[in-house]
Amino acid sequence: MAKVPAAVVAAGGLIGGYGVARWTKKRQLGGVVLAAAGAAAAQQWKQQAGGKAAGALTAAYVAAFARSHPLAKKVGAWPAVFGVAGAVALASWAVADRHA
């Protein structure tokens, strides 16, 4: 079976985490989804590109989550989430997935 690219896992974690938090009205549950996907992506990043790249991509993942909040006030919640998820996916592909 083919492995799901880390870019998809990371973007899915950001989108899924927000979706779960919004639809269940339980922010903690969305945080669980966000953290689980981030941990899975980080493991793949480490395997594919090494520890330094994994650290940088994990920092980008956390920063994307944090930046989505002020961005949402300007463009709306879903556009902000999709925007930061796309940015993280692109970074993941550029640093780790395209070499796998």
Side-chain angles (χ1 to χ4, degrees), residues 22-47:
R22 181 175 177 132
W23 290 314
T24 65
K25 299 192 184 340
K26 297 187 186 310
R27 294 178 71 187
Q28 299 86 349
L29 192 54
V32 169
V33 172
L34 180 80
Q43 183 177 8
Q44 282 186 254
W45 291 328
K46 186 174 180 182
Q47 290 173 352

Side-chain angles (χ1 to χ4, degrees), residues 3-4 9 12 24-25 28 33 40-41 43 59 62 64 67 70 72 76 82 85 88 95-96:
K3 184 189 276 190
V4 177
V9 174
T24 65
K25 299 192 184 340
Q28 299 86 349
V33 172
Q43 183 177 8
V62 172
R67 289 185 184 134
F82 285 128
V88 168
V95 174

